[in-house]
Every structure is written in C-alpha cells, then in structure tokens.
Amino acid sequence: MSPQLASPGPSLATLRGHDLLSSADLSGEQIRALLQLASELKRGERRVDLQGKTLGLIFTKASTRTRVSFTVAMARLGGQTMDLNPSLTQVGRGEPVADTARVLSRYVDALAIRTFAQQELEEYAHWAAIPVINALTDLEHPCQALADFLTVQEAFGASAGPGDLTLAYVGDGNNVAHSLLLTGALLGVNVRIGAPAGYEPDPAVVDRASALAGNSCTIEVTHDPVVAVRGAHALYTDVWASMGQEEEKAQREAAFQGFCLDEALLAEADARAIVLHCLPAHRGEEISAGVIEGSASRVFDQAENRLHVQQALLAVLLGGPTL
Ligand code: CP
Ligand code: NVA
C-alpha cells in the first residue's frame, strides 16, 4: 500500500513538544490515535521524517527492549540516538540534573530516561526545554503499556466498546501494573490486579485509575489470583522482584506463592485469552514455561510492538512531517 499523505489527527497534534512522564499524561482519545498511528507505521502505510533529530538515552538501569526499540525507532524515522549513560557522562560524577537537562536541551531534541525515582524524571522534565519520555521508573512504564494495549487490540480489534474487555494482571503491583491500570482506564478496558497482601499497587494510582475509568470500565484489586483472571481476555504478569529490589528476592518468592501465571490460571480465563509479559521473564517463578511458550502467548508480538508505539510517540512528540 502506498504511504498516506494525511497528518496525524488533531488529538495527536496537541502532543507536539510535550513530555510523557505518566500514562495519565495522555487522554483516551490520544492513546487510541497513537495506537492507530503505530498500526499504520507497522503495516508500512505511513512514514514520518525525523531526519536531523536526535534522541538522547539516559538509562540508569539495565535494558534490552527499551534501549534497542528506541534506537531502532529513531533510525527508522531517519533520526539518530545518542547513548548518554550516566557512567559515560558527568551525570555519574554528580553534575546536577538542572544543569544537565538545560545543556542537553541545546544539543538533542528529546530525552528518554530510565531511572529509579519518578521525581528525578520530573526534575529533568522541569528543566529540559525538549520532550522527556519515561522509559521506566519505579512508579510507571508508560511506553510498555502502549505496546501492551496495541497487542490487545491486535487480538480483539480496536472497536471493542467500553468495559467489553478485561485485562487481568497477576503478581506485583509495580510500575508495569500502574501503567496498565491508568492506560486501561483511559481506554475503557477493565483492569483487575491480583496481588498478594502487601504487594498491591499504590492506592493513589488505583484511585486515579478509578477516577479516569468513571463509568466506562471497572478497576479492581484482589488478593485472589483466580478471581483476578476469571473470564479475562488478557492475562499479564511481570517479575516478582523489579530492578532495585534484588535483595528482597527470597522474601518475595515466598510471598508470591500461588501467583504464578500457569496453565491452571489460564484455564480460568476467557477461551480466547492472550498471555502477556513485558519481559524479561523468569520461567517457573511468575510464569510457567508452558504458558509463556504456549499458543495463547503474545509476548514476542508485544515486545515487537514497543518499536511501533515508540515510533508513533516520537513522531508525534517531535512533530515530524508525515511523508
Ligand atoms: N520490557 C522492558 O522494558 O524491557 P527492558 O528492561 O529490556 O527494556
Ligand atoms: N517491573 C520490572 C519491569 C522491567 C521491564 C522492573 O522494573 O524491573
């Protein structure tokens, strides 16, 4: 199919120059338009030109998917990426965020930042004159949630009505769970979190998701994984110990017994249910080898979709002309 000539719709045009710090920075309409643009980019129906633009990557934590997908996304759009790993820059020697953000704003066109504290990300955004993208913090992982819901749409169609679909997340109420709650609420997808006591999502995020959901869908938290997954259309899990929680690994393994996304839990879901995991995965811990490798699993499509949604996001935040 030949490339379309149309520009992104009005809801996306307003995002030019903006940050993406939280999943709640987008409206439901903007998320739907971003997923549509991502699908068109994926199918080769749309091209965007970011020639001459540079994305800086400031990653304080390890990454395979996010680092590579942002780098390839920029390359496919005609731009380039610069690795600003703190150990390679003066950031690692304590140069203040306020100075770093203002200097980098004179060189690069956007920053994708992976770090621990959401507050540090917000400080970069405060001082930077260019778009700042959350590439994962301890609080949220918004780019991941965009790819996840694109994968859900690919399985169940983009025209499902409010409350028609349910995504069940089983495990730690962490950064990934938070962004799923907020993005699901904005899209009108019911989100159920099944987490052990003491590992529920942040109540402030749950309240925000409930407020965003309004009457369009339901937001629920339960301590029973079977209740969480019953009849759900997408089953999701993530590691029990996130980056920075390595010392809690043994304690968490004990607390999460019964929360492995295995064949028994999958059998409780809708017959068409798909299985998602942001990866990296630990087979035999939060997910069984049979389920992650089974016919319901979409984890590699999901990982691929990081590339397409981030291409759409960069195209929109940097406002490149469509070809
Ligand atoms: N899912 C995800 O963000 O993976 P990486 O940590 O490899 O970037
Ligand atoms: N919750 C995980 C996600 C990794 C992509 C972590 O923060 O380590």
Side-chain angles (χ1 to χ4, degrees):
M1 194 176 294
S2 60
Q4 292 185 351
L5 292 171
S7 296
S11 68
L12 289 183
T14 59
L15 284 174
R16 184 175 183 163
H18 281 242
D19 301 320
L20 179 63
L21 307 182
S22 163
S23 295
D25 289 344
L26 299 169
S27 68
E29 188 189 359
Q30 287 168 338
I31 296 170
R32 271 185 281 276
L34 267 175
L35 299 188
Q36 169 75 23
L37 177 57
S39 296
E40 290 169 7
L41 288 163
K42 183 173 183 176
R43 293 194 298 262
E45 295 170 9
R46 173 102 77 160
R47 287 177 51 216
V48 178
D49 183 9
L50 291 186
Q51 194 180 3
K53 304 277 189 191
T54 302
L55 171 71
L57 300 180
I58 303 179
F59 278 36
T60 306
K61 294 174 173 175
S63 170
T64 298
R65 280 143 289 270
T66 309
R67 177 186 294 281
V68 177
S69 57
F70 266 119
T71 305
V72 175
M74 274 310 271
R76 287 196 182 182
L77 295 169
Q80 60 178 326
T81 312
M82 185 164 288
D83 190 353
L84 302 169
N85 184 321
S87 67
L88 303 173
T89 68
Q90 300 287 8
V91 170
R93 296 178 59 248
E95 184 167 11
V97 166
D99 293 356
T100 305
R102 283 178 289 181
V103 169
L104 292 177
S105 298
R106 308 288 179 111
Y107 301 144
V108 302
D109 301 283
L111 289 170
I113 300 178
R114 168 168 289 201
T115 192
F116 293 87
Q118 181 80 8
Q119 197 184 345
E120 187 190 331
L121 178 78
E122 287 170 4
E123 196 182 352
Y124 269 105
H126 174 80
W127 290 103
I130 53 175
V132 171
I133 300 169
N134 183 344
L136 181 146
T137 62
D138 288 347
L139 188 67
E140 282 202 49
H141 199 1
C143 298
Q144 181 68 55
L146 291 173
D148 302 339
F149 282 100
L150 178 59
T151 315
V152 171
Q153 275 194 1
E154 288 173 345
F156 294 98
S159 57
D164 284 353
L165 296 177
T166 298
L167 180 143
Y169 174 99
V170 176
D172 187 25
N174 61 16
N175 44 10
V176 169
H178 290 160
S179 283
L180 289 170
L181 279 164
L182 295 167
T183 305
L186 286 162
L187 286 173
V189 175
N190 305 318
V191 182
R192 278 191 226 135
I193 307 286
Y199 296 94
E200 303 91 344
D202 183 336
V205 176
V206 177
D207 288 350
R208 185 85 200 275
S210 298
L212 292 170
N215 294 325
S216 75
C217 61
T218 57
I219 299 296
E220 294 169 274
V221 178
T222 168
H223 295 142
D224 185 336
V226 176
V227 169
V229 302
R230 196 166 283 146
H233 303 91
L235 304 191
Y236 200 121
T237 191
D238 183 17
V239 292
W240 291 340
S242 286
M243 289 181 276
Q245 297 171 336
E246 289 78 6
E247 287 176 9
E248 299 173 30
K249 194 172 182 302
Q251 177 194 331
R252 284 172 170 267
E253 271 177 29
F256 283 90
Q257 288 313 305
F259 285 80
C260 174
L261 181 44
D262 59 10
E263 287 76 355
L265 277 187
L266 181 56
E268 299 285 343
D270 186 277
R272 300 161 295 163
I274 62 168
V275 168
L276 301 174
H277 190 310
C278 58
L279 303 177
H282 298 88
R283 290 162 173 78
E285 293 183 27
E286 77 275 4
I287 193 162
S288 71
V291 167
I292 197 169
E293 300 292 351
S295 59
S297 176
R298 297 289 180 277
V299 299
F300 297 107
D301 294 331
Q302 179 187 5
E304 178 189 330
N305 282 339
R306 295 292 305 277
L307 175 60
H308 306 299
V309 297
Q310 287 158 205
Q311 262 190 263
L313 183 66
L314 290 164
V316 166
L317 298 184
L318 293 176
T322 51
L323 296 177

